[in-house]
Amino acid sequence: MKAVRKAVLPVAGLGTRFLPATKCMPKEMLPIVDKPLIQYAIEEAQAAGIASIMLITGRGKNLMEDHFDHAFELERTLELRGRLKELEIVRQFPEPSTIKYTRQQQALGLGHAIWCARDFVNDDPFAVILPDDMVLAERGCLSQMMDAYNDVGGNIVAVTEVPREHTNRYGILDVESDDGRLAKARGLVEKPDPADAPSTLSIIGRYILQPGVFAHLDKKQAGAGGEIQLTDAIAETLDSTPFHGLRYEGRRFDCGSKSGFIAANVAYALEREDMASDVRLALSEIMD
Ligand code: UTP
């Protein structure tokens, strides 16, 4: 079995739920405490052994390229002022050529965004991280998925239970067998009505996929919401490729929604020794 060393991070979406904040600034540059969403995603990928990352960007997303580059003026000023801690923080970015960029010229859907990485992925298994889905965990969500991948191979997604009335927001698994941690699926439906949903096990933004998925993405067929869906392409591979959902350990935050984003900021701040007590105090004052 080939090891997973590549990751694709689609960041070409319009981020309409965060307007006007995302009018000029990419959603993925919104900070959780003091670090942008995209940096958490890259760190999670690297912690899982990913060596090469492709960002699928779009118009107005150049800020992310700047973020992962030297900021000479800032670095020089910090150096002159002896602000060594801050200097170290701004110099934390991957080596040149670790991150590659390509543009999705039209936001035609997640499946189409992944299709844009076909030459980068080539014939290798690859991971997908949606930076606006965050998992606060001792061991990163993708690392947990790599462990599962080493056991069962094939296509793996991270899954979580959702209330039945919310199945029409997510990709939902049709489960064949389930050991409580790994669910083997025989089917996959994008955003089913609660009455038709085969389960309440929903996909979150972490995938390990075999390159065979591109044969289906190549057809560029629109699915739910008129978008080219990644789940439709994965569903097409079910006959040839085993497909599992992993119940990860950790707390997931949907940072693509405003309430999820705010909850993540609070949760990540409470994990920080340098600010937990101040934040706890501020929260208790607000709640009073
Ligand atoms: P979302 O469904 O969250 O869409 O995409 P969005 O555009 O980012 O946000 P809203 O709904 O308008 O507020 C999930 C992920 O897929 C990427 C997004 O950047 C995000 O990481 N995506 C989505 C693309 O890269 N291209 C697309 O065509 C669609």
Side-chain angles (χ1 to χ4, degrees), residues 216-240:
H216 305 284
L217 291 175
D218 274 340
K219 296 182 207 154
K220 301 203 188 125
Q221 270 166 7
E227 296 199 334
I228 300 171
Q229 299 287 356
L230 179 59
T231 43
D232 291 344
I234 300 172
E236 296 265 357
T237 68
L238 283 165
D239 288 342
S240 55

mmCIF file with all atom_site columns, all heavy atoms in Angstrom, residues 216-240:
data_model
loop_
_atom_site.group_PDB
_atom_site.id
_atom_site.type_symbol
_atom_site.label_atom_id
_atom_site.label_alt_id
_atom_site.label_comp_id
_atom_site.label_asym_id
_atom_site.label_entity_id
_atom_site.label_seq_id
_atom_site.pdbx_PDB_ins_code
_atom_site.Cartn_x
_atom_site.Cartn_y
_atom_site.Cartn_z
_atom_site.occupancy
_atom_site.B_iso_or_equiv
_atom_site.pdbx_formal_charge
_atom_site.auth_seq_id
_atom_site.auth_comp_id
_atom_site.auth_asym_id
_atom_site.auth_atom_id
_atom_site.pdbx_PDB_model_num
ATOM 1   N N   . HIS A 1 216 ? -13.912 9.804  -12.163 1.00 0.00 ? 216 HIS A N   1
ATOM 2   C CA  . HIS A 1 216 ? -15.313 10.249 -12.044 1.00 0.00 ? 216 HIS A CA  1
ATOM 3   C C   . HIS A 1 216 ? -15.408 11.774 -12.025 1.00 0.00 ? 216 HIS A C   1
ATOM 4   O O   . HIS A 1 216 ? -16.341 12.345 -12.580 1.00 0.00 ? 216 HIS A O   1
ATOM 5   C CB  . HIS A 1 216 ? -15.933 9.616  -10.803 1.00 0.00 ? 216 HIS A CB  1
ATOM 6   C CG  . HIS A 1 216 ? -15.808 8.126  -10.839 1.00 0.00 ? 216 HIS A CG  1
ATOM 7   N ND1 . HIS A 1 216 ? -16.614 7.343  -11.630 1.00 0.00 ? 216 HIS A ND1 1
ATOM 8   C CD2 . HIS A 1 216 ? -14.924 7.283  -10.258 1.00 0.00 ? 216 HIS A CD2 1
ATOM 9   C CE1 . HIS A 1 216 ? -16.248 6.085  -11.516 1.00 0.00 ? 216 HIS A CE1 1
ATOM 10  N NE2 . HIS A 1 216 ? -15.215 6.016  -10.682 1.00 0.00 ? 216 HIS A NE2 1
ATOM 11  N N   . LEU A 1 217 ? -14.426 12.418 -11.381 1.00 0.00 ? 217 LEU A N   1
ATOM 12  C CA  . LEU A 1 217 ? -14.445 13.887 -11.371 1.00 0.00 ? 217 LEU A CA  1
ATOM 13  C C   . LEU A 1 217 ? -14.263 14.446 -12.781 1.00 0.00 ? 217 LEU A C   1
ATOM 14  O O   . LEU A 1 217 ? -14.792 15.510 -13.107 1.00 0.00 ? 217 LEU A O   1
ATOM 15  C CB  . LEU A 1 217 ? -13.341 14.425 -10.447 1.00 0.00 ? 217 LEU A CB  1
ATOM 16  C CG  . LEU A 1 217 ? -13.556 14.181 -8.946  1.00 0.00 ? 217 LEU A CG  1
ATOM 17  C CD1 . LEU A 1 217 ? -12.338 14.640 -8.150  1.00 0.00 ? 217 LEU A CD1 1
ATOM 18  C CD2 . LEU A 1 217 ? -14.818 14.902 -8.447  1.00 0.00 ? 217 LEU A CD2 1
ATOM 19  N N   . ASP A 1 218 ? -13.545 13.688 -13.629 1.00 0.00 ? 218 ASP A N   1
ATOM 20  C CA  . ASP A 1 218 ? -13.317 14.105 -15.020 1.00 0.00 ? 218 ASP A CA  1
ATOM 21  C C   . ASP A 1 218 ? -14.628 14.354 -15.760 1.00 0.00 ? 218 ASP A C   1
ATOM 22  O O   . ASP A 1 218 ? -14.695 15.156 -16.680 1.00 0.00 ? 218 ASP A O   1
ATOM 23  C CB  . ASP A 1 218 ? -12.556 13.001 -15.779 1.00 0.00 ? 218 ASP A CB  1
ATOM 24  C CG  . ASP A 1 218 ? -11.051 13.124 -15.593 1.00 0.00 ? 218 ASP A CG  1
ATOM 25  O OD1 . ASP A 1 218 ? -10.602 14.224 -15.234 1.00 0.00 ? 218 ASP A OD1 1
ATOM 26  O OD2 . ASP A 1 218 ? -10.340 12.114 -15.793 1.00 0.00 ? 218 ASP A OD2 1
ATOM 27  N N   . LYS A 1 219 ? -15.696 13.658 -15.344 1.00 0.00 ? 219 LYS A N   1
ATOM 28  C CA  . LYS A 1 219 ? -16.987 13.787 -16.062 1.00 0.00 ? 219 LYS A CA  1
ATOM 29  C C   . LYS A 1 219 ? -17.660 15.122 -15.754 1.00 0.00 ? 219 LYS A C   1
ATOM 30  O O   . LYS A 1 219 ? -18.573 15.528 -16.445 1.00 0.00 ? 219 LYS A O   1
ATOM 31  C CB  . LYS A 1 219 ? -17.914 12.638 -15.648 1.00 0.00 ? 219 LYS A CB  1
ATOM 32  C CG  . LYS A 1 219 ? -17.408 11.259 -16.032 1.00 0.00 ? 219 LYS A CG  1
ATOM 33  C CD  . LYS A 1 219 ? -18.433 10.217 -15.602 1.00 0.00 ? 219 LYS A CD  1
ATOM 34  C CE  . LYS A 1 219 ? -17.775 8.886  -15.328 1.00 0.00 ? 219 LYS A CE  1
ATOM 35  N NZ  . LYS A 1 219 ? -18.509 8.062  -14.388 1.00 0.00 ? 219 LYS A NZ  1
ATOM 36  N N   . LYS A 1 220 ? -17.219 15.769 -14.679 1.00 0.00 ? 220 LYS A N   1
ATOM 37  C CA  . LYS A 1 220 ? -17.733 17.088 -14.289 1.00 0.00 ? 220 LYS A CA  1
ATOM 38  C C   . LYS A 1 220 ? -19.258 17.144 -14.221 1.00 0.00 ? 220 LYS A C   1
ATOM 39  O O   . LYS A 1 220 ? -19.890 18.074 -14.721 1.00 0.00 ? 220 LYS A O   1
ATOM 40  C CB  . LYS A 1 220 ? -17.221 18.158 -15.248 1.00 0.00 ? 220 LYS A CB  1
ATOM 41  C CG  . LYS A 1 220 ? -15.711 18.240 -15.291 1.00 0.00 ? 220 LYS A CG  1
ATOM 42  C CD  . LYS A 1 220 ? -15.276 19.604 -15.767 1.00 0.00 ? 220 LYS A CD  1
ATOM 43  C CE  . LYS A 1 220 ? -13.804 19.660 -16.006 1.00 0.00 ? 220 LYS A CE  1
ATOM 44  N NZ  . LYS A 1 220 ? -13.420 20.086 -17.329 1.00 0.00 ? 220 LYS A NZ  1
ATOM 45  N N   . GLN A 1 221 ? -19.834 16.094 -13.621 1.00 0.00 ? 221 GLN A N   1
ATOM 46  C CA  . GLN A 1 221 ? -21.297 16.067 -13.492 1.00 0.00 ? 221 GLN A CA  1
ATOM 47  C C   . GLN A 1 221 ? -21.737 16.846 -12.259 1.00 0.00 ? 221 GLN A C   1
ATOM 48  O O   . GLN A 1 221 ? -21.239 16.592 -11.161 1.00 0.00 ? 221 GLN A O   1
ATOM 49  C CB  . GLN A 1 221 ? -21.768 14.614 -13.355 1.00 0.00 ? 221 GLN A CB  1
ATOM 50  C CG  . GLN A 1 221 ? -22.065 13.974 -14.694 1.00 0.00 ? 221 GLN A CG  1
ATOM 51  C CD  . GLN A 1 221 ? -22.209 12.475 -14.593 1.00 0.00 ? 221 GLN A CD  1
ATOM 52  O OE1 . GLN A 1 221 ? -22.211 11.909 -13.503 1.00 0.00 ? 221 GLN A OE1 1
ATOM 53  N NE2 . GLN A 1 221 ? -22.308 11.836 -15.740 1.00 0.00 ? 221 GLN A NE2 1
ATOM 54  N N   . ALA A 1 222 ? -22.684 17.753 -12.452 1.00 0.00 ? 222 ALA A N   1
ATOM 55  C CA  . ALA A 1 222 ? -23.197 18.517 -11.312 1.00 0.00 ? 222 ALA A CA  1
ATOM 56  C C   . ALA A 1 222 ? -24.145 17.646 -10.496 1.00 0.00 ? 222 ALA A C   1
ATOM 57  O O   . ALA A 1 222 ? -24.864 16.812 -11.040 1.00 0.00 ? 222 ALA A O   1
ATOM 58  C CB  . ALA A 1 222 ? -23.909 19.766 -11.806 1.00 0.00 ? 222 ALA A CB  1
ATOM 59  N N   . GLY A 1 223 ? -24.096 17.824 -9.176  1.00 0.00 ? 223 GLY A N   1
ATOM 60  C CA  . GLY A 1 223 ? -24.978 17.061 -8.281  1.00 0.00 ? 223 GLY A CA  1
ATOM 61  C C   . GLY A 1 223 ? -25.797 18.010 -7.428  1.00 0.00 ? 223 GLY A C   1
ATOM 62  O O   . GLY A 1 223 ? -26.262 19.043 -7.930  1.00 0.00 ? 223 GLY A O   1
ATOM 63  N N   . ALA A 1 224 ? -25.927 17.665 -6.134  1.00 0.00 ? 224 ALA A N   1
ATOM 64  C CA  . ALA A 1 224 ? -26.744 18.473 -5.221  1.00 0.00 ? 224 ALA A CA  1
ATOM 65  C C   . ALA A 1 224 ? -26.346 19.945 -5.297  1.00 0.00 ? 224 ALA A C   1
ATOM 66  O O   . ALA A 1 224 ? -25.153 20.268 -5.366  1.00 0.00 ? 224 ALA A O   1
ATOM 67  C CB  . ALA A 1 224 ? -26.575 17.959 -3.785  1.00 0.00 ? 224 ALA A CB  1
ATOM 68  N N   . GLY A 1 225 ? -27.342 20.830 -5.327  1.00 0.00 ? 225 GLY A N   1
ATOM 69  C CA  . GLY A 1 225 ? -27.099 22.267 -5.353  1.00 0.00 ? 225 GLY A CA  1
ATOM 70  C C   . GLY A 1 225 ? -26.487 22.756 -6.653  1.00 0.00 ? 225 GLY A C   1
ATOM 71  O O   . GLY A 1 225 ? -25.965 23.867 -6.717  1.00 0.00 ? 225 GLY A O   1
ATOM 72  N N   . GLY A 1 226 ? -26.495 21.893 -7.707  1.00 0.00 ? 226 GLY A N   1
ATOM 73  C CA  . GLY A 1 226 ? -25.921 22.290 -8.992  1.00 0.00 ? 226 GLY A CA  1
ATOM 74  C C   . GLY A 1 226 ? -24.400 22.322 -8.973  1.00 0.00 ? 226 GLY A C   1
ATOM 75  O O   . GLY A 1 226 ? -23.768 22.781 -9.921  1.00 0.00 ? 226 GLY A O   1
ATOM 76  N N   . GLU A 1 227 ? -23.768 21.819 -7.886  1.00 0.00 ? 227 GLU A N   1
ATOM 77  C CA  . GLU A 1 227 ? -22.308 21.846 -7.776  1.00 0.00 ? 227 GLU A CA  1
ATOM 78  C C   . GLU A 1 227 ? -21.715 20.473 -8.103  1.00 0.00 ? 227 GLU A C   1
ATOM 79  O O   . GLU A 1 227 ? -22.392 19.445 -7.933  1.00 0.00 ? 227 GLU A O   1
ATOM 80  C CB  . GLU A 1 227 ? -21.901 22.222 -6.342  1.00 0.00 ? 227 GLU A CB  1
ATOM 81  C CG  . GLU A 1 227 ? -22.341 23.617 -5.947  1.00 0.00 ? 227 GLU A CG  1
ATOM 82  C CD  . GLU A 1 227 ? -21.568 24.149 -4.755  1.00 0.00 ? 227 GLU A CD  1
ATOM 83  O OE1 . GLU A 1 227 ? -21.066 23.351 -3.951  1.00 0.00 ? 227 GLU A OE1 1
ATOM 84  O OE2 . GLU A 1 227 ? -21.471 25.383 -4.653  1.00 0.00 ? 227 GLU A OE2 1
ATOM 85  N N   . ILE A 1 228 ? -20.488 20.449 -8.562  1.00 0.00 ? 228 ILE A N   1
ATOM 86  C CA  . ILE A 1 228 ? -19.787 19.170 -8.793  1.00 0.00 ? 228 ILE A CA  1
ATOM 87  C C   . ILE A 1 228 ? -19.323 18.689 -7.421  1.00 0.00 ? 228 ILE A C   1
ATOM 88  O O   . ILE A 1 228 ? -18.501 19.342 -6.770  1.00 0.00 ? 228 ILE A O   1
ATOM 89  C CB  . ILE A 1 228 ? -18.615 19.357 -9.778  1.00 0.00 ? 228 ILE A CB  1
ATOM 90  C CG1 . ILE A 1 228 ? -19.172 19.868 -11.118 1.00 0.00 ? 228 ILE A CG1 1
ATOM 91  C CG2 . ILE A 1 228 ? -17.845 18.046 -9.946  1.00 0.00 ? 228 ILE A CG2 1
ATOM 92  C CD1 . ILE A 1 228 ? -18.126 20.302 -12.121 1.00 0.00 ? 228 ILE A CD1 1
ATOM 93  N N   . GLN A 1 229 ? -19.913 17.578 -6.980  1.00 0.00 ? 229 GLN A N   1
ATOM 94  C CA  . GLN A 1 229 ? -19.738 17.123 -5.599  1.00 0.00 ? 229 GLN A CA  1
ATOM 95  C C   . GLN A 1 229 ? -18.645 16.060 -5.506  1.00 0.00 ? 229 GLN A C   1
ATOM 96  O O   . GLN A 1 229 ? -18.632 15.102 -6.296  1.00 0.00 ? 229 GLN A O   1
ATOM 97  C CB  . GLN A 1 229 ? -21.057 16.530 -5.053  1.00 0.00 ? 229 GLN A CB  1
ATOM 98  C CG  . GLN A 1 229 ? -22.210 17.521 -5.012  1.00 0.00 ? 229 GLN A CG  1
ATOM 99  C CD  . GLN A 1 229 ? -22.048 18.556 -3.890  1.00 0.00 ? 229 GLN A CD  1
ATOM 100 O OE1 . GLN A 1 229 ? -21.118 18.487 -3.092  1.00 0.00 ? 229 GLN A OE1 1
ATOM 101 N NE2 . GLN A 1 229 ? -22.949 19.516 -3.851  1.00 0.00 ? 229 GLN A NE2 1
ATOM 102 N N   . LEU A 1 230 ? -17.778 16.196 -4.513  1.00 0.00 ? 230 LEU A N   1
ATOM 103 C CA  . LEU A 1 230 ? -16.748 15.181 -4.275  1.00 0.00 ? 230 LEU A CA  1
ATOM 104 C C   . LEU A 1 230 ? -17.392 13.863 -3.845  1.00 0.00 ? 230 LEU A C   1
ATOM 105 O O   . LEU A 1 230 ? -16.961 12.785 -4.254  1.00 0.00 ? 230 LEU A O   1
ATOM 106 C CB  . LEU A 1 230 ? -15.775 15.685 -3.203  1.00 0.00 ? 230 LEU A CB  1
ATOM 107 C CG  . LEU A 1 230 ? -14.637 14.740 -2.819  1.00 0.00 ? 230 LEU A CG  1
ATOM 108 C CD1 . LEU A 1 230 ? -13.767 14.410 -4.030  1.00 0.00 ? 230 LEU A CD1 1
ATOM 109 C CD2 . LEU A 1 230 ? -13.767 15.351 -1.714  1.00 0.00 ? 230 LEU A CD2 1
ATOM 110 N N   . THR A 1 231 ? -18.443 13.950 -3.032  1.00 0.00 ? 231 THR A N   1
ATOM 111 C CA  . THR A 1 231 ? -19.081 12.719 -2.532  1.00 0.00 ? 231 THR A CA  1
ATOM 112 C C   . THR A 1 231 ? -19.651 11.883 -3.683  1.00 0.00 ? 231 THR A C   1
ATOM 113 O O   . THR A 1 231 ? -19.617 10.659 -3.630  1.00 0.00 ? 231 THR A O   1
ATOM 114 C CB  . THR A 1 231 ? -20.200 13.044 -1.530  1.00 0.00 ? 231 THR A CB  1
ATOM 115 O OG1 . THR A 1 231 ? -20.949 14.132 -2.018  1.00 0.00 ? 231 THR A OG1 1
ATOM 116 C CG2 . THR A 1 231 ? -19.654 13.363 -0.170  1.00 0.00 ? 231 THR A CG2 1
ATOM 117 N N   . ASP A 1 232 ? -20.178 12.533 -4.722  1.00 0.00 ? 232 ASP A N   1
ATOM 118 C CA  . ASP A 1 232 ? -20.717 11.765 -5.867  1.00 0.00 ? 232 ASP A CA  1
ATOM 119 C C   . ASP A 1 232 ? -19.602 10.943 -6.515  1.00 0.00 ? 232 ASP A C   1
ATOM 120 O O   . ASP A 1 232 ? -19.802 9.775  -6.877  1.00 0.00 ? 232 ASP A O   1
ATOM 121 C CB  . ASP A 1 232 ? -21.337 12.704 -6.916  1.00 0.00 ? 232 ASP A CB  1
ATOM 122 C CG  . ASP A 1 232 ? -22.614 13.357 -6.418  1.00 0.00 ? 232 ASP A CG  1
ATOM 123 O OD1 . ASP A 1 232 ? -23.172 12.874 -5.412  1.00 0.00 ? 232 ASP A OD1 1
ATOM 124 O OD2 . ASP A 1 232 ? -23.051 14.361 -7.029  1.00 0.00 ? 232 ASP A OD2 1
ATOM 125 N N   . ALA A 1 233 ? -18.424 11.553 -6.656  1.00 0.00 ? 233 ALA A N   1
ATOM 126 C CA  . ALA A 1 233 ? -17.300 10.838 -7.278  1.00 0.00 ? 233 ALA A CA  1
ATOM 127 C C   . ALA A 1 233 ? -16.835 9.690  -6.384  1.00 0.00 ? 233 ALA A C   1
ATOM 128 O O   . ALA A 1 233 ? -16.528 8.595  -6.870  1.00 0.00 ? 233 ALA A O   1
ATOM 129 C CB  . ALA A 1 233 ? -16.150 11.805 -7.542  1.00 0.00 ? 233 ALA A CB  1
ATOM 130 N N   . ILE A 1 234 ? -16.806 9.909  -5.074  1.00 0.00 ? 234 ILE A N   1
ATOM 131 C CA  . ILE A 1 234 ? -16.397 8.820  -4.157  1.00 0.00 ? 234 ILE A CA  1
ATOM 132 C C   . ILE A 1 234 ? -17.422 7.693  -4.247  1.00 0.00 ? 234 ILE A C   1
ATOM 133 O O   . ILE A 1 234 ? -17.057 6.513  -4.309  1.00 0.00 ? 234 ILE A O   1
ATOM 134 C CB  . ILE A 1 234 ? -16.283 9.329  -2.697  1.00 0.00 ? 234 ILE A CB  1
ATOM 135 C CG1 . ILE A 1 234 ? -15.235 10.443 -2.583  1.00 0.00 ? 234 ILE A CG1 1
ATOM 136 C CG2 . ILE A 1 234 ? -15.928 8.180  -1.755  1.00 0.00 ? 234 ILE A CG2 1
ATOM 137 C CD1 . ILE A 1 234 ? -15.191 11.129 -1.222  1.00 0.00 ? 234 ILE A CD1 1
ATOM 138 N N   . ALA A 1 235 ? -18.702 8.050  -4.298  1.00 0.00 ? 235 ALA A N   1
ATOM 139 C CA  . ALA A 1 235 ? -19.761 7.032  -4.369  1.00 0.00 ? 235 ALA A CA  1
ATOM 140 C C   . ALA A 1 235 ? -19.582 6.147  -5.608  1.00 0.00 ? 235 ALA A C   1
ATOM 141 O O   . ALA A 1 235 ? -19.840 4.946  -5.573  1.00 0.00 ? 235 ALA A O   1
ATOM 142 C CB  . ALA A 1 235 ? -21.136 7.703  -4.380  1.00 0.00 ? 235 ALA A CB  1
ATOM 143 N N   . GLU A 1 236 ? -19.089 6.721  -6.697  1.00 0.00 ? 236 GLU A N   1
ATOM 144 C CA  . GLU A 1 236 ? -18.883 5.966  -7.943  1.00 0.00 ? 236 GLU A CA  1
ATOM 145 C C   . GLU A 1 236 ? -17.772 4.927  -7.808  1.00 0.00 ? 236 GLU A C   1
ATOM 146 O O   . GLU A 1 236 ? -17.670 4.017  -8.613  1.00 0.00 ? 236 GLU A O   1
ATOM 147 C CB  . GLU A 1 236 ? -18.510 6.926  -9.082  1.00 0.00 ? 236 GLU A CB  1
ATOM 148 C CG  . GLU A 1 236 ? -19.590 7.913  -9.439  1.00 0.00 ? 236 GLU A CG  1
ATOM 149 C CD  . GLU A 1 236 ? -20.452 7.456  -10.598 1.00 0.00 ? 236 GLU A CD  1
ATOM 150 O OE1 . GLU A 1 236 ? -20.143 6.380  -11.154 1.00 0.00 ? 236 GLU A OE1 1
ATOM 151 O OE2 . GLU A 1 236 ? -21.427 8.163  -10.911 1.00 0.00 ? 236 GLU A OE2 1
ATOM 152 N N   . THR A 1 237 ? -16.898 5.105  -6.798  1.00 0.00 ? 237 THR A N   1
ATOM 153 C CA  . THR A 1 237 ? -15.765 4.181  -6.664  1.00 0.00 ? 237 THR A CA  1
ATOM 154 C C   . THR A 1 237 ? -16.074 3.034  -5.691  1.00 0.00 ? 237 THR A C   1
ATOM 155 O O   . THR A 1 237 ? -15.218 2.184  -5.449  1.00 0.00 ? 237 THR A O   1
ATOM 156 C CB  . THR A 1 237 ? -14.496 4.903  -6.131  1.00 0.00 ? 237 THR A CB  1
ATOM 157 O OG1 . THR A 1 237 ? -14.733 5.302  -4.769  1.00 0.00 ? 237 THR A OG1 1
ATOM 158 C CG2 . THR A 1 237 ? -14.135 6.125  -6.951  1.00 0.00 ? 237 THR A CG2 1
ATOM 159 N N   . LEU A 1 238 ? -17.300 3.020  -5.137  1.00 0.00 ? 238 LEU A N   1
ATOM 160 C CA  . LEU A 1 238 ? -17.588 2.072  -4.045  1.00 0.00 ? 238 LEU A CA  1
ATOM 161 C C   . LEU A 1 238 ? -17.420 0.605  -4.452  1.00 0.00 ? 238 LEU A C   1
ATOM 162 O O   . LEU A 1 238 ? -17.050 -0.225 -3.628  1.00 0.00 ? 238 LEU A O   1
ATOM 163 C CB  . LEU A 1 238 ? -19.010 2.314  -3.518  1.00 0.00 ? 238 LEU A CB  1
ATOM 164 C CG  . LEU A 1 238 ? -19.140 3.536  -2.599  1.00 0.00 ? 238 LEU A CG  1
ATOM 165 C CD1 . LEU A 1 238 ? -20.593 3.923  -2.417  1.00 0.00 ? 238 LEU A CD1 1
ATOM 166 C CD2 . LEU A 1 238 ? -18.490 3.271  -1.254  1.00 0.00 ? 238 LEU A CD2 1
ATOM 167 N N   . ASP A 1 239 ? -17.683 0.294  -5.719  1.00 0.00 ? 239 ASP A N   1
ATOM 168 C CA  . ASP A 1 239 ? -17.560 -1.101 -6.168  1.00 0.00 ? 239 ASP A CA  1
ATOM 169 C C   . ASP A 1 239 ? -16.106 -1.558 -6.205  1.00 0.00 ? 239 ASP A C   1
ATOM 170 O O   . ASP A 1 239 ? -15.800 -2.727 -6.019  1.00 0.00 ? 239 ASP A O   1
ATOM 171 C CB  . ASP A 1 239 ? -18.142 -1.263 -7.585  1.00 0.00 ? 239 ASP A CB  1
ATOM 172 C CG  . ASP A 1 239 ? -19.651 -1.177 -7.538  1.00 0.00 ? 239 ASP A CG  1
ATOM 173 O OD1 . ASP A 1 239 ? -20.200 -1.338 -6.433  1.00 0.00 ? 239 ASP A OD1 1
ATOM 174 O OD2 . ASP A 1 239 ? -20.254 -0.921 -8.595  1.00 0.00 ? 239 ASP A OD2 1
ATOM 175 N N   . SER A 1 240 ? -15.198 -0.599 -6.450  1.00 0.00 ? 240 SER A N   1
ATOM 176 C CA  . SER A 1 240 ? -13.797 -0.980 -6.652  1.00 0.00 ? 240 SER A CA  1
ATOM 177 C C   . SER A 1 240 ? -12.894 -0.655 -5.467  1.00 0.00 ? 240 SER A C   1
ATOM 178 O O   . SER A 1 240 ? -11.802 -1.205 -5.352  1.00 0.00 ? 240 SER A O   1
ATOM 179 C CB  . SER A 1 240 ? -13.256 -0.258 -7.898  1.00 0.00 ? 240 SER A CB  1
ATOM 180 O OG  . SER A 1 240 ? -13.458 1.136  -7.740  1.00 0.00 ? 240 SER A OG  1
#
